[in-house]
Amino acid sequence: MNASTTARGTSDPLGRPQGGGIPPFLLKTLITVVIGGFTYALTNATDQPEVWKLTASIFLGGAAMIIQYMIDFERRLGAVESGLIVHNAEMKELVAEGFAKINQATELFGLVEGSALRTDGVNRLVRNATSVSSDGPSIVRAFAQAEINRLATLMANLNQKHTDYDGEDHDWIVTLTQCASGTIDATSTSVDHHFWPSELGQRYLREQRDAIRGRGVRIRRLFIVNTPDQIDRALEQLVARQKSLGIDVRVLALSQLPPEAGIDTTNDFIVFDDSLSYEVEPDLRGMNSKTTLDLREERVARRVKRFAELWEAGGRDPEE
């Protein structure tokens, strides 16, 4: 910074003084006085009448003042326009982002309104999900996010008519039983030996009882063993208990199947309302390692046909 700059000081784009320079208003006044005084001296040297001396001095001094303010106004206007350009760009970006969010919200609202699902449940999910406190423990937010992601994945897979779950399912089987309105056709192999006494097995049976008594759902269960000598007292008691709930039960020995009925694989599966196949795949240890929901029509049709073959070809009531 040189000496002249120090003496004059600086001003911002709006004409406000920066540092220790002369205030702009005082500087304008001094320039006006100097020009007016110079004009008066000039007219006085030419021996003009007093009225012309004053008139010329005032006129030129005022003109100088106006010109200074016009220059200052132009400088400030330029600074404001520059700021407005930046501000307008930011505003345009904010408006565009806002409209994009509005369009997305409108699209989502239209999808919800046009969905076959009940909108109150979807709205309740969104409302409760957004109310999860950001001030709470991080594990709560992480858990809520994981559950939303899981549900979103499930909905996407159902839209593709096929989804699976690693391990043994503890929710789908009960919820599907609650939702069934017509029929439930199920097989049960030796893999289910420890399932029926479990809490999940008992809850599953309670829901089946309620489906039969409350909604008139027809439920058939086919217990499958390898040979007739595996039909023991424990299995007979299990059959009797399920029959007391209103379930139509039969037992099938695979060794007694006709050759044409025994060539297909026989895994545990349940067909709900002849529309959805619930399937369980065991691993080498005989543990349920994968649960699958299949809505593909050809797959479900094969399961419906397979159950009918097993039910008619080899099934029997152990009490007969």
Side-chain angles (χ1 to χ4, degrees), residues 16-29:
R16 292 171 300 207
Q18 302 290 320
I22 300 174
F25 176 76
L26 180 58
L27 181 61
K28 291 181 179 65
T29 302

Side-chain angles (χ1 to χ4, degrees), residues 8 10 46 91 107 112 158 160 209 267 276 281 310:
R8 293 194 307 268
T10 59
T46 57
M91 285 298 297
E107 179 184 2
V112 170
L158 288 178
Q160 298 299 321
R209 176 199 62 194
N267 289 334
L276 181 148
E281 297 181 15
L310 296 176

Side-chain angles (χ1 to χ4, degrees), residues 3-291:
S4 61
T5 303
T6 304
R8 293 194 307 268
T10 59
S11 61
D12 64 9
L14 298 181
R16 292 171 300 207
Q18 302 290 320
I22 300 174
F25 176 76
L26 180 58
L27 181 61
K28 291 181 179 65
T29 302
L30 288 176
I31 293 175
T32 300
V33 171
V34 169
I35 293 177
F38 177 77
T39 302
Y40 185 86
L42 182 62
T43 55
N44 187 55
T46 57
D47 198 20
Q48 297 292 328
E50 188 66 25
V51 65
W52 286 109
K53 295 178 185 178
L54 295 175
T55 300
S57 300
I58 294 173
F59 175 78
L60 292 179
M65 176 69 77
I66 293 174
I67 290 172
Q68 291 179 82
Y69 274 105
M70 289 179 65
I71 294 173
D72 188 35
F73 176 77
E74 182 180 7
R75 183 172 64 250
R76 294 188 182 191
L77 182 61
V80 169
E81 289 177 347
S82 299
L84 285 176
I85 291 174
V86 176
H87 180 69
N88 286 339
E90 294 176 351
M91 285 298 297
K92 287 180 180 179
E93 183 178 353
L94 289 174
V95 170
E97 182 180 354
F99 273 111
K101 291 181 178 179
I102 292 174
N103 290 337
Q104 184 180 19
T106 303
E107 179 184 2
L108 291 175
F109 181 77
L111 291 174
V112 170
E113 289 296 315
S115 172
L117 299 178
R118 292 177 55 183
T119 57
D120 57 341
V122 179
N123 292 337
R124 188 160 55 91
L125 170 63
V126 174
R127 185 176 294 107
N128 290 332
T130 55
S131 65
V132 175
S133 176
S134 59
D135 299 330
S138 60
I139 189 172
V140 174
R141 299 194 301 273
F143 176 70
Q145 185 64 60
E147 287 297 294
I148 290 175
N149 293 341
R150 181 184 61 81
L151 182 58
T153 300
L154 175 61
M155 295 298 106
N157 290 340
L158 288 178
N159 192 45
Q160 298 299 321
K161 297 187 176 183
H162 182 273
T163 187
D164 53 47
Y165 180 92
D166 290 334
E168 184 176 8
D169 156 63
H170 284 191
D171 296 308
W172 291 349
I173 192 171
V174 173
T175 303
L176 285 169
T177 302
Q178 294 170 342
C179 296
S181 60
T183 61
I184 300 176
D185 293 330
T187 65
S188 180
T189 65
S190 58
V191 175
D192 298 331
H193 180 71
H194 298 290
F195 171 75
W196 298 110
S198 68
E199 186 277 334
L200 176 60
Q202 295 298 301
R203 184 155 52 101
Y204 178 42
L205 284 177
R206 288 195 298 271
E207 293 298 338
Q208 290 189 319
R209 176 199 62 194
D210 294 342
I212 294 170
R213 298 177 181 178
R215 304 191 302 277
V217 177
R218 186 198 68 181
I219 301 179
R220 296 186 295 178
R221 174 157 296 109
L222 186 62
F223 286 97
I224 300 175
V225 295
N226 291 321
T227 59
D229 59 3
Q230 292 181 322
I231 304 176
D232 55 13
R233 180 60 179 169
L235 180 56
E236 291 176 350
Q237 290 177 345
L238 180 59
V239 169
R241 183 185 178 200
Q242 295 200 13
K243 287 183 65 177
S244 69
L245 300 176
I247 302 172
D248 191 1
V249 184
R250 291 185 182 180
V251 178
L252 167 68
L254 293 177
S255 62
Q256 296 180 337
L257 275 179
E260 65 274 13
I263 59 176
D264 293 328
T265 58
T266 307
N267 289 334
D268 270 349
F269 66 90
I270 308 171
V271 180
F272 292 90
D273 288 343
D274 290 339
S275 303
L276 181 148
S277 176
Y278 173 100
E279 304 174 13
V280 177
E281 297 181 15
D283 59 16
L284 296 177
R285 301 169 298 172
M287 304 293 291
N288 292 333
S289 61
K290 185 177 182 181
T291 305

